[in-house]
């Protein structure tokens, strides 16, 4: 038998020399045709071993490839028939991947009546040249006379191979259809209608190509990557064959209301954000109701326990329900309001199914809520929301899904299944290589499933610990809370949801045991949205107030101050007693207990002063004019208190700087007599008795210098009358005459302090020395470079404080650069601001001349209030 096959193959592959007579090629074709007939009879008999079949297949594919490219059409039909017989014999010898059913083993040759088994044996071996040969056979224009034979070969043979062959062949056929359609468009819509148009595609070719593409699309949609049961595969094939009379019929079955093979999964696979995907859906689907119904049916099938499922089969069981939820959310987001009303009933039915048993469907609650909020946003913009039933369904389902998601985000849902850990602990647990044991009590996951059920791993992928919690928190802040008043008209229901958010999510995040009060960004966003809801006042006021009075509040980083400003402002506006309490605490009577810690009392007083400063700083300009007399009274008493600790006096000057930025200059008129007196006293005392290195008096001197620095930057008219006492405001600041005796306090300090001995150890100055002397020198050098003897540069056009970045000093000598240059800087800044233009930016106090860098001013205040340690 092997010898006979070898001889027949030699006849098939033999070719005559070109120098022979003209009758030789014809005789050779006849010999090859007879050899192919004998070879088909031998192969069909079924006694050929697999190795010989592989050799025959390779020889036939090579012969076909040569025939296509040499434009020889005589033997292609018989070669295709023999190759088909070889493929059938090869797949019969391979171990079947699915059980054989003779009812589907029958091949009916014909366009529409062709039926190929999906349960027939599938070959795992594919010749590398087969795909390219088939593509060339249907693509070559010279091969058009035998195109029908190639299409028949594709329809009869390709189902015997793995699904990897379907996609390249579908692409090749689609290209040929596109070329044919372009020829038709060019023929009937061209500018010269009477001109001749040459085309290789006939109407029969188009029909054949459409039939081939139809069957390939069917195979790609119905072949399961993991296999399927015999009955389910047979039902899918029978339904597609009987009810479909063409490619458009197949598409209508895909989106029919009772389609068993939820084939919309493949639409969700490519790219959920792609507009082309949704355009395809709109073209193929009859209506949006059909699409939403199909997606809901697919989700319902996947989340239903295996024992309760019907005989319907998911074509791609590896696709998790979260992907379909994502596609559904994107699709709903593109719908118009009236169309969204049409799909409302079907999706509400799915929502009720999930909300009725949140313990069973806990992994689907969050994606269901996202889709429900998206759909409710559309419906609430129509008149349908006025219907009592629709409004009730919207409120009830929204509350159920929201409460469940809040419990999940708060790690309080189903205590038997959830571990209450912090976000850092959960993140470490996710990175751990030790697998988390499965929960044995979850019936939906442990229930035995049949061949069509979803893998447990895919269902579990929808829940991902801290990632899911972060997603829920972000969704609450960006989507749920901003729209909650559109869904819930009852203030009590709004308050109930906000109370749950605060109790389960916000409060645990703030009750940390760290040294700093660093709250996560999603939590701050939740509070920022909650303060915009009037009905939620009772929910957020307590946690914000507790955080503001926490001793760790100002240990946070300056970057977090922007988030707290909104919350503190809302707190003071909603409760007028907050400012009254803050003002009353800054001058609380000292304790009469002899065992009381005086240093601790001063520290608490300084913290209360800083809270008052931040509350005023968080408000709008002139917002607290009503409280200004009380604030002025308390600050004046503190300034005149000779026994007050330096740390408290430093906070007094910080509060005065905040008032300068948040009050109009004329509102500070009553402050200036006391301020000028106390500042002059501080500097005079420094001149007469310079403080020792590392003493507490340096805090007061630095705070007074920062206040003077800010006042000189603002150049208020009320202070310019008295600034000659502190700085030289004449031309002597630039060109000092001989034998000049300074009269201003800063210039006197510069001459006195520069002559003081430096008692510090030069090898170890500490952190304060580095940020003191070195930083002051660099700041002064940078500020003076753009002002002295030259036009102001772009960087120096805006006036900004020189000492805003200084946190502390170790010696009075660290301020020598400031004492020496502040008069020069103040004098030159007047003319530089005139060049840059007048007018303060928004947020600054009106009436302040010159261009002030308010961003730098406020940044300096924030960095001083929030220490970040």
């Amino acid at each position: 038998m092997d010898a006979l096959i070898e001889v027949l193959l030699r006849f098939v592959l033999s070719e005559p020399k070109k120098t022979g007579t003209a009758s030789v090629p014809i005789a050779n074709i006849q010999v090859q045709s007879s050899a192919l007939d004998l070879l088909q009879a031998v192969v069909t008999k079924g006694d050929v071993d697999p190795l010989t079949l592989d050799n025959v297949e390779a020889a036939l594919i090579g012969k076909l490839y040569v025939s296509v490219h040499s434009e020889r059409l005589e033997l292609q039909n018989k070669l295709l028939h023999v190759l088909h017989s070889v493929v059938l014999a090869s797949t019969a010898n391979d171990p079947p991947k699915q059980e054989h059913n003779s009812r589907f083993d029958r091949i009916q040759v014909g366009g529409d009546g062709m039926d190929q088994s999906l349960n027939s044996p599938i070959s795992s071996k594919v010749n590398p040249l087969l795909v390219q040969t088939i593509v060339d056979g249907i693509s070559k224009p010279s091969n058009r006379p035998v195109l029908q034979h190639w299409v028949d070969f594709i329809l009869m043979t390709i189902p015997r191979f793995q699904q990897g062959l379907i996609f390249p062949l579908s692409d090749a056929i689609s290209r040929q259809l596109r070329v044919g359609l372009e020829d038709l468009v060019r023929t009937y819509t061209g500018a010269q209608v009477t001109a001749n148009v040459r085309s290789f595609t006939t109407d029969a070719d188009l029909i054949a190509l459409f039939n081939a593409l139809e069957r390939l699309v069917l195979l790609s949609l119905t072949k399961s990557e993991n296999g399927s049961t015999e009955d389910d595969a047979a039902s899918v094939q029978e339904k597609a064959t009987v009810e479909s009379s063409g490619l458009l019929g197949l598409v209508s079955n895909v989106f029919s209301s009772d389609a068993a093979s939820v084939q919309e999964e493949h639409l969700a696979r490519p790219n959920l954000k792609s507009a082309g995907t949704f355009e395809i859906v709109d073209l193929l689907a009859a209506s949006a109701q059909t699409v939403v119904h199909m997606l809901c049916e697919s989700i319902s099938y996947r989340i239903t326990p295996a024992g309760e499922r019907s005989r319907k089969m998911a074509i791609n069981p590896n696709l998790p329900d979260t992907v379909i939820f994502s596609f559904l959310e994107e699709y709903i987001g593109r719908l118009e309001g009236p169309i969204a009303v049409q799909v409302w009933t079907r999706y509400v039915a799915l929502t009720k199914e999930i909300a009725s048993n949140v313990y069973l469907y806990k992994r689907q609650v969050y994606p269901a809520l996202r889709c429900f909020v998206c759909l409710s946003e559309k419906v609430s913009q129509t008149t349908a929301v006025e219907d009592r039933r629709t409004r009730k369904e919207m409120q009830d389902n929204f509350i159920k899904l929201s409460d469940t998601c809040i419990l999940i985000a708060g790690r309080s849902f189903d205590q038997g299944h959830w571990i209450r850990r912090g976000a850092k602990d959960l993140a470490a647990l996710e990175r751990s290589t030790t697998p988390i044991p499965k929960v044995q009590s979850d019936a939906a996951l442990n229930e035995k499933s049949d061949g069509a059920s979803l893998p447990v791993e895919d269902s579990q992928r929808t829940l991902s610990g801290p990632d899911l919690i972060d997603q829920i928190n972000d969704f609450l802040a960006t989507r749920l809370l901003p729209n909650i008043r559109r869904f819930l008209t009852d203030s009590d229901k709004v308050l109930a949801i906000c109370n749950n958010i605060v109790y389960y999510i916000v409060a645990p995040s703030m009750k940390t045991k760290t040294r700093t009060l660093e709250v996560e960004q999603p939590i701050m966003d939740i509070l920022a949205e909650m303060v915009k809801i009037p009905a939620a006042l009772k929910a957020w006021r307590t946690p914000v107030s507790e955080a503001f009075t926490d001793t760790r509040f100002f240990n946070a980083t300056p970057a977090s101050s922007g988030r707290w400003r909104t919350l503190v402002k809302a707190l003071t506006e909603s409760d007028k007693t907050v400012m009254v309490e803050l003002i009353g605490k800054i001058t609380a009577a000292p304790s009469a207990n002899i065992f009381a810690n005086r240093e601790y009392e001063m520290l608490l007083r300084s913290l209360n002063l800083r809270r008052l400063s931040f509350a005023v700083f968080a408000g709008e300009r002139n917002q607290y004019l009503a409280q200004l007399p009380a604030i002025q009274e308390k600050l004046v008493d503190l300034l005149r208190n000779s026994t007050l600790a330096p740390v408290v006096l430093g906070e007094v000057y910080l509060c005065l700087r905040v008032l300068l930025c948040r009050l109009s200059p004329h509102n500070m008129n009553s402050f200036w007599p006391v301020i000028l007196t106390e500042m002059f006293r501080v500097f005079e005392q420094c001149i007469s008795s310079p403080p020792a290195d590392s003493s507490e008096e340096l805090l007061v001197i630095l705070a007074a210098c920062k206040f003077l620095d800010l006042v000189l930057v603002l150049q208020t008219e009320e202070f310019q009358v008295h600034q000659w006492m502190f700085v030289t405001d004449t031309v002597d600041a630039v060109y000092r005459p001989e034998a000049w005796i300074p009269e201003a306090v800063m210039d006197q300090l510069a001459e006195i302090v520069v002559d003081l001995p430096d008692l510090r150890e030069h090898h170890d100055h500490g952190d304060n020395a580095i940020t003191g002397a070195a930083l002051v020198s660099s700041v002064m050098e940078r500020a003076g470079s753009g002002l002295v003897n030259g036009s102001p540069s772009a960087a120096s056009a805006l006036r900004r404080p020189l000492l805003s970045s200084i946190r502390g000093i170790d010696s009075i000598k660290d301020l020598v650069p400031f004492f020496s240059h502040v008069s020069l800087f103040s004098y030159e800044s007047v003319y530089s601001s005139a060049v840059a233009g007048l007018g303060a930016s928004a947020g600054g106090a009106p009436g302040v001349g010159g261009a002030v860098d308010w961003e730098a001013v406020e940044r300096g205040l924030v960095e001083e209030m929030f220490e970040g340690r």
Side-chain angles (χ1 to χ4, degrees), residues 166-179:
I166 296 177
F167 297 103
L169 294 181
S170 301
D171 183 64
I173 294 176
S174 300
R175 287 200 301 268
Q176 296 305 310
L177 286 172
R178 188 181 300 112
V179 171

Side-chain angles (χ1 to χ4, degrees), residues 365-398:
V365 171
Y366 171 60
L369 177 62
R370 291 184 63 94
C371 295
F372 185 81
V373 170
C374 184
L375 183 60
S376 298
E377 289 175 355
K378 301 289 184 179
V379 175
S380 61
Q381 298 174 2
T382 65
T383 57
V385 74
E386 299 176 0
D387 181 67
R388 181 176 299 179
R389 178 181 177 183
T390 303
R391 171 62 69 179
K392 186 177 186 301
E393 290 176 344
M394 183 182 297
Q395 293 182 355
D396 294 346
N397 291 280
F398 179 80

Side-chain angles (χ1 to χ4, degrees), residues 41 97 220 242 314 425 430 462 493 508 529 586 589 596-597 601 690 703 840 857-858:
K97 292 190 176 182
S220 65
V242 174
D425 298 332
E430 286 289 318
T462 61
K493 294 180 179 179
E529 290 295 333
I586 61 178
N597 190 334
E601 288 183 357
V857 171
E858 294 189 357

Side-chain angles (χ1 to χ4, degrees), residues 398-455:
F398 179 80
I399 292 174
K400 290 180 181 179
L401 295 179
S402 300
D403 288 342
T404 305
C405 284
I406 293 169
L407 291 176
I408 293 174
R411 307 180 184 95
S412 302
F413 181 81
D414 194 0
Q415 293 295 323
H417 296 183
W418 292 77
I419 303 174
R420 299 199 68 177
R421 291 189 174 96
K424 296 181 179 179
D425 298 332
L426 286 173
L429 185 61
E430 286 289 318
R431 295 191 297 267
S432 176
T433 56
T434 304
I436 301 177
K438 297 180 181 178
V439 180
Q440 299 297 329
S441 60
D442 197 341
L445 297 180
N446 294 328
E447 196 168 354
K448 293 184 178 180
S449 58
D450 54 11
S453 63
L454 292 177

Side-chain angles (χ1 to χ4, degrees), residues 496-722:
I497 290 183
C498 293
N499 280 332
N500 288 339
I501 294 176
V502 170
Y503 181 80
Y504 290 104
I505 300 177
V506 177
S509 300
M510 290 187 173
K511 294 178 181 179
T512 58
K513 297 181 180 180
T514 58
R515 292 182 177 271
T516 60
L517 188 64
E518 291 290 348
V519 184
E520 299 176 356
Q521 178 66 37
I523 306 301
M524 299 298 298
D525 294 339
I526 289 175
L527 289 174
E529 290 295 333
M530 200 175 291
V531 297
K532 301 176 183 178
I533 305 174
L537 173 62
K538 296 180 180 179
W540 61 263
R541 184 170 58 188
T542 300
V544 172
S545 178
E546 291 178 353
F548 188 46
T549 57
D550 196 315
T551 56
R552 303 168 300 165
F553 182 80
F554 293 104
N555 290 342
T557 59
S560 63
S561 64
R563 296 173 286 177
W564 285 110
R565 285 178 63 176
T566 304
L567 301 179
V568 172
K569 178 185 176 183
L571 177 65
T572 56
E573 290 177 347
S574 62
D575 189 356
K576 303 301 182 182
T577 62
V578 173
M579 288 297 295
V580 177
E581 293 177 359
L582 289 175
I583 296 172
K585 289 180 180 179
I586 61 178
T587 57
S591 176
N593 189 355
I594 60 175
F595 300 103
N597 190 334
R598 302 299 179 184
E599 183 179 355
Y600 181 71
E601 288 183 357
M602 293 299 175
L603 180 61
L604 289 181
R605 185 176 294 185
S606 65
L607 283 177
N608 291 327
L609 257 174
R610 185 168 295 189
R611 291 190 186 97
L612 176 63
S613 301
F614 184 73
V616 175
F617 180 76
E620 300 292 340
R621 179 173 49 87
N622 294 328
Q623 179 177 346
Y624 299 107
L625 281 178
Q627 290 80 18
L628 182 60
I631 296 175
Q632 179 178 354
E633 179 184 356
K634 300 297 182 182
L635 294 181
V636 169
D637 291 342
L638 292 176
L639 285 173
R640 291 177 175 175
N641 190 348
S642 59
T643 62
L644 204 61
V647 64
V648 180
L649 284 176
E651 293 298 329
V652 172
Y653 282 105
L654 174 62
C655 185
L656 291 174
R657 288 162 58 192
V658 172
L659 291 175
L660 283 176
C661 297
R662 287 295 179 265
L663 294 177
S664 301
H666 64 273
N667 292 321
M668 295 284 294
N669 288 338
S670 57
F671 264 105
W672 286 115
V674 177
I675 294 176
L676 294 174
T677 301
E678 293 303 319
M679 285 180 60
F680 198 81
R681 182 186 63 80
V682 170
F683 292 132
E684 282 290 338
Q685 185 177 357
C686 182
I687 293 174
S688 60
S689 177
D693 295 345
S694 302
S695 64
E696 293 184 352
E697 285 75 9
L698 293 175
L699 294 175
V700 181
I701 296 175
L702 178 61
C705 289
K706 286 186 177 183
F707 179 80
L708 176 63
D709 187 18
L710 178 61
V711 174
L712 293 175
V713 168
L714 298 182
Q715 294 181 0
T716 59
E717 296 180 0
E718 290 76 11
F719 179 76
Q720 285 179 345
V721 180
H722 310 283

Side-chain angles (χ1 to χ4, degrees), residues 148-204:
Q148 184 63 51
H149 299 292
W150 285 90
V151 171
D152 292 341
F153 175 79
I154 292 174
L155 298 179
M156 294 186 296
T157 308
I158 293 305
R160 300 284 178 171
F161 293 98
Q162 292 180 343
Q163 197 170 2
L165 289 178
I166 296 177
F167 297 103
L169 294 181
S170 301
D171 183 64
I173 294 176
S174 300
R175 287 200 301 268
Q176 296 305 310
L177 286 172
R178 188 181 300 112
V179 171
L181 294 176
E182 289 176 355
D183 291 343
L184 292 176
V185 172
R186 187 170 63 254
T187 301
Y188 293 103
T189 63
Q192 299 178 355
V193 180
T194 59
N196 294 328
V197 178
R198 185 178 181 181
S199 176
F200 295 98
T201 305
T202 64
D203 53 350

Side-chain angles (χ1 to χ4, degrees), residues 747-774:
D747 295 327
Q748 294 180 20
L749 278 172
E751 291 191 354
I752 294 176
V753 175
V754 74
D755 296 331
L756 293 176
D758 192 354
L759 303 179
R760 295 173 299 174
E761 297 182 3
H762 294 281
H763 64 276
D764 186 11
H765 285 187
D767 294 338
N768 285 340
I770 295 175
T771 59

